[in-house]
């Protein structure tokens, strides 16, 4: 018998619903929120209001595209955290009532684990799945983590940022340059035309497998402030070169720690996940490392890199197959912790 799962994602600024048939995606609908563009970041209150407006049409659209009726669904999976509380509450309340109304199981999903498990979505274009154990560099707007993945439900955080996340650094650099939010994709695009050696930014000196990006953010700020004093058109003239230099520095910092994690664990099956894994420079750096170090690398499809409900549905599918259901009294959590599986 086929298993149909509805996945719901509402942890940040994208409202998304997906329908999964076993491990295959039938529909993955994402409503982006434009309201944040002018604020240089996500405004939590505006995000939860937009989720409230979007969630019903997005779910209906996903069911329509999948040609699946509500009565055919086996379970409802939703993001229970980490994320913005108000946003999470919209998805959680919707999923709970939906599951209750249909009399089907509710499945709790950890957003960061879902980014990783997106690699297991069945896809003809990417038939190769990661082999356990593997390492995953999970890089998003709020998190920068190195995970040791032993199994679908055995995921250990072995390194993380002590301050800003990699995505946040892309976004903040873009903001300093006067680019709209989210800046990551724009920097990626500009960097393609620029010189990564245009300027050199310092690398942090952090022990173990942890990261730090706040120093980089400050050096970008001071560097541009000083250059603007000499030439007020400096950013406009050198947008591509500055973007390429910022991007190269972020990637070098990420790859240094990932190499260290590979050396220390002896694991050379390495994946990337999360919004920043959509970055063309990071994807290329992984492919280069495959050539250099013989890593087995796993790069998610572009549409499963940034936030989406397909990854929530596949993670829910694994819980469903294991018989691990959530209770109606479950409440969302905002921060990631190693215990919160
Ligand atoms: O995983 P995600 O969609 O949402 C969170 O869970 O945070 O990640 C969003 C982050 C943003 O900071 C965005 O700027 C960044 O991912 N991002 C990128 C690219 N696409 C998205 N950063 C660099 N290059 C990209 N192509
Ligand atoms: Zn995410």
């Amino acid at each position: 018998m086929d298993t149909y799962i509805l996945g719901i994602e509402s942890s940040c600024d994208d409202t998304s619903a997906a329908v999964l048939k076993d491990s295959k995606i039938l529909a993955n609908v994402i409503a982006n929120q434009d309201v944040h563009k002018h604020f240089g970041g996500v405004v939590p209150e505006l995000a939860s209001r937009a989720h409230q407006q979007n969630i019903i049409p997005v779910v209906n659209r996903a069911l329509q595209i999948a040609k699946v009726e509500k009565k055919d669904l086996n379970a409802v999976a939703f993001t229970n955290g980490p994320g913005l509380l108000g946003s999470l509450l919209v998805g959680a309340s919707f999923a709970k009532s939906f599951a209750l109304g249909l009399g089907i199981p509710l499945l709790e999903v950890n957003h960061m684990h879902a980014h990783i498990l997106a690699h297991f979505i069945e896809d003809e274009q990417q038939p190769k799945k990661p082999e356990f154990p593997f390492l995953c560099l999970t890089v998003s707007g709020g998190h920068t983590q190195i995970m040791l993945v032993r199994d679908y439900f055995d995921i250990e955080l072995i390194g993380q940022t002590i301050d800003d996340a990699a995505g946040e650094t892309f976004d903040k650099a873009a903001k300093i340059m006067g680019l709209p939010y989210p800046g990551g994709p724009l920097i990626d695009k500009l960097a393609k035309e620029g010189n990564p050696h245009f300027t050199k930014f310092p690398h942090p000196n952090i022990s173990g497998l942890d990261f730090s990006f706040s120093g980089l953010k400050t050096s970008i700020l001071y560097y541009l402030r000083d250059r603007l004093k000499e030439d007020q058109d400096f950013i406009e003239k050198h947008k591509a070169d500055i973007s390429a230099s910022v991007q190269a520095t972020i990637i070098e910092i990420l790859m240094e720690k990932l190499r260290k994690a590979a050396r220390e664990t002896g694991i050379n099956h390495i994946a990337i996940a999360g919004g920043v894994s959509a970055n063309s420079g990071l994807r290329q750096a992984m492919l280069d490392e495959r050539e250099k170090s013989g890593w087995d690398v796993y790069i998610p499809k572009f549409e499963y890199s940034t936030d989406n409900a397909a990854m929530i549905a596949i993670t829910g599918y694994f819980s469903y197959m294991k018989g691990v259901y959530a209770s109606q009294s479950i409440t969302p959590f905002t921060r990631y912790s190693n215990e919160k599986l």
Side-chain angles (χ1 to χ4, degrees):
M1 257 251 299
D2 297 324
T3 303
Y4 293 93
I5 309 274
L6 172 71
I8 292 168
E9 157 62 31
S10 74
S11 66
C12 192
D13 59 340
D14 295 314
T15 321
S16 180
V19 179
L20 190 85
K21 178 183 176 186
D22 296 326
S23 46
K24 242 193 179 128
I25 300 298
L26 300 180
N28 183 34
V29 177
I30 304 171
N32 300 114
Q33 302 182 356
D34 277 341
V35 284
H36 311 288
K37 256 203 173 100
H38 312 290
F39 295 96
V42 177
V43 185
E45 189 50 40
L46 294 180
S48 27
R49 273 190 242 167
H51 282 305
Q52 279 178 329
Q53 282 172 353
N54 291 342
I55 197 146
I56 293 173
V58 165
V59 168
N60 282 339
R61 186 81 189 113
L63 288 167
Q64 195 182 40
I65 292 171
K67 298 192 176 65
V68 168
E69 293 193 29
K70 289 180 191 142
K71 65 170 175 46
D72 299 325
L73 292 169
N74 294 81
V76 183
F78 73 102
T79 307
N80 200 33
L84 301 169
L85 191 59
S87 296
L88 289 164
L89 279 166
V90 176
S93 318
F94 181 89
K96 283 181 189 178
S97 5
F98 205 83
L100 196 64
L102 293 171
I104 56 176
L106 182 67
L107 310 165
E108 174 199 11
V109 171
N110 181 309
H111 181 90
M112 298 315 292
H113 294 181
H115 270 303
I116 302 171
L117 298 180
H119 280 283
F120 293 95
I121 292 169
E122 208 178 305
D123 196 298
E124 278 154 17
Q125 288 161 16
Q126 284 200 331
K128 198 169 150 230
K129 303 284 163 252
E131 257 175 51
F132 297 119
F134 65 93
L135 296 177
C136 188
L137 173 71
T138 318
V139 268
S140 68
H143 296 84
T144 303
Q145 305 175 321
I146 299 181
M147 302 286 215
L148 169 53
V149 189
R150 297 188 189 89
D151 187 17
Y152 304 119
F153 297 98
D154 187 353
I155 299 177
E156 187 187 347
L157 177 69
I158 58 171
Q160 63 180 324
T161 182
I162 58 166
D163 41 54
D164 295 345
E168 203 176 350
T169 313
F170 270 107
D171 296 337
K172 283 182 178 165
K175 191 175 175 187
I176 299 170
M177 288 167 64
L179 301 170
Y181 176 84
L186 296 172
I187 293 206
D188 189 354
K189 199 167 157 213
L190 285 165
K192 287 189 178 129
E193 313 292 323
N195 173 11
H197 306 294
F198 180 70
T199 181
K200 194 131 189 69
F201 295 110
H203 285 207
N205 188 8
I206 304 293
S207 65
L209 297 176
D210 286 340
F211 302 90
S212 167
F213 285 102
S214 67
L216 174 59
K217 181 186 63 190
T218 313
S219 21
I220 297 168
L221 185 68
Y222 289 173
Y223 168 77
L224 292 177
R225 187 194 58 186
D226 293 347
R227 292 299 166 287
L228 285 171
K229 272 188 208 151
E230 297 155 10
D231 175 5
Q232 56 177 356
D233 296 326
F234 182 79
I235 295 181
E236 198 44 48
K237 282 184 198 156
H238 300 290
K239 258 196 305 215
D241 290 332
I242 303 164
S243 297
S245 301
V246 166
Q247 178 169 304
T249 311
I250 296 174
I251 294 170
E252 282 160 21
I253 295 171
L254 293 171
M255 292 303 290
E256 269 167 32
K257 286 296 165 98
L258 198 52
R259 276 186 219 109
K260 187 170 185 195
R263 274 196 312 272
E264 288 183 1
T265 58
I267 296 173
N268 66 357
H269 289 258
I270 322 244
I272 53 172
V276 180
S277 71
N279 184 269
S280 56
L282 179 59
R283 288 169 169 251
Q284 190 55 49
M286 288 293 287
L287 296 175
D288 293 346
E289 201 61 42
R290 177 173 68 184
E291 294 305 309
K292 230 177 7 198
S293 315
W295 285 3
D296 247 317
V297 308
Y298 303 93
I299 298 170
K301 264 184 116 174
F302 196 75
E303 64 254 48
Y304 302 140
S305 299
T306 46
D307 285 352
N308 66 86
M311 67 185 199
I312 306 304
I314 187 81
T315 308
Y317 172 72
F318 293 129
S319 299
Y320 181 77
M321 296 312 276
K322 210 178 168 200
V324 179
Y325 304 157
S327 112
Q328 280 282 336
S329 60
I330 195 166
T331 49
F333 60 95
T334 55
R335 296 181 144 269
Y336 185 89
S337 95
N338 236 345
E339 289 78 51
K340 202 76 208 173
L341 289 180

